């Protein structure tokens, strides 16, 4: 029988980090199913979902923890895949653009949480606006929305947040991500 695990990690950004992780997985007969990784502020961070034979789980966990000697901070969590894939919710794509200021993510995430919207992926960045050179905040988010969600009410609340923060927010229901 197989187990499913999610591992999260942080390590200084240097070449070969994915090789070290993938080597530990493959040498314990693990299957690397999906991952998200990124470089942020000189750190390489990520999350990986792995399927592993039950008989190899402890050995893989020990091998991953041994990577801490090479600068990794790693957490491993076992989960039940049957519990994770109950029902496929409606997907929502959110785009945010505006002059950067503190509180943008907080205000938007607060409005989403009030409507039980579950953010599944968030990508954000601050760059210089093309003409003015002012800091420009840009973000895209993927989210799952409950079947009973009143999208008009969510849109109205997010529009009020956008007006207050002087940013643009757009929503789009999508079939799948």
């Amino acid at each position: 029988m197989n187990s499913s695990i999610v591992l999260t990690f942080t390590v200084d950004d240097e070449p070969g980090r994915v090789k070290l992780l993938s080597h530990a997985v493959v040498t314990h007969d693990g299957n690397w199913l999906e991952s998200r990784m990124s470089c942020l502020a000189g750190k390489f961070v990520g999350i990986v979902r792995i399927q592993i034979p039950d008989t190899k789980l402890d050995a893989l966990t020990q091998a991953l923890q041994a990577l801490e000697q090479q600068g990794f901070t790693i957490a491993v969590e076992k989960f039940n895949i049957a519990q994770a894939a109950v029902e496929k919710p409606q997907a929502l794509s959110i785009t945010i653009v505006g002059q950067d200021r503190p509180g943008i993510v907080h205000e938007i995430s607060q409005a989403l949480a009030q409507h039980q919207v579950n953010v599944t992926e968030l990508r954000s960045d601050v760059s210089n606006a093309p003409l003015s050179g002012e800091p420009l905040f840009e973000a895209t988010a993927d989210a799952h929305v409950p079947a009973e969600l009143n999208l008009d009410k969510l849109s109205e609340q997010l529009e009020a947040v956008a007006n207050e923060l002087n940013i643009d927010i757009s929503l789009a229901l999508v079939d799948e991500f």
Side-chain angles (χ1 to χ4, degrees):
M1 189 144 162
N2 289 324
S3 291
S4 293
I5 63 169
V6 170
L7 73 92
T8 57
F9 69 89
T10 304
V11 65
D12 288 339
D13 183 30
E14 296 176 7
R17 298 308 192 176
V18 175
K19 177 187 149 287
L20 292 171
L21 287 169
S22 63
H23 179 76
V25 172
V26 75
T27 58
H28 293 89
D29 299 326
N31 186 14
W32 186 297
L33 298 174
E34 61 183 320
S35 60
R36 306 291 185 278
M37 299 179 202
S38 187
C39 295
L40 297 169
K43 295 290 184 182
F44 186 56
V45 298
I47 184 168
V48 183
R49 184 169 68 99
I50 297 167
Q51 189 174 48
I52 181 100
D54 288 339
T55 58
K56 306 276 183 128
L57 179 59
D58 289 338
L60 173 61
T61 301
Q62 290 174 359
L64 291 169
Q65 290 171 344
L67 290 176
E68 291 178 356
Q69 296 173 355
Q70 296 184 45
F72 280 84
T73 301
I74 294 182
V76 178
E77 183 177 344
K78 184 177 175 181
F79 69 97
N80 182 339
I81 192 71
Q83 292 173 339
V86 177
E87 187 178 307
K88 195 168 193 171
Q90 177 66 52
L92 180 69
S93 177
I94 306 163
T95 304
I96 306 151
V97 177
Q99 186 173 354
D100 186 41
R101 66 181 288 284
I104 294 174
V105 173
H106 174 71
E107 293 295 328
I108 293 168
S109 63
Q110 182 175 334
L112 294 172
Q114 288 174 355
H115 292 273
Q116 301 301 305
V117 174
N118 181 32
V119 175
T120 58
E121 189 164 343
L122 173 66
R123 298 163 303 280
S124 65
D125 199 9
V126 175
S127 60
N128 293 329
L131 297 176
S132 69
E134 294 290 322
L136 181 68
F137 179 83
E138 297 179 89
T140 57
D142 298 334
H144 290 158
V145 298
E148 67 278 2
L149 175 73
N150 183 326
L151 194 56
D152 290 335
K153 285 188 179 183
L154 174 62
S155 294
E156 287 173 15
Q157 186 171 359
L158 287 174
E159 187 175 320
V161 169
N163 289 337
E164 180 182 318
L165 299 175
N166 196 26
I167 60 174
D168 292 322
I169 301 175
S170 62
L171 305 176
L173 289 174
V174 294
D175 292 331
E176 289 186 19
F177 295 117

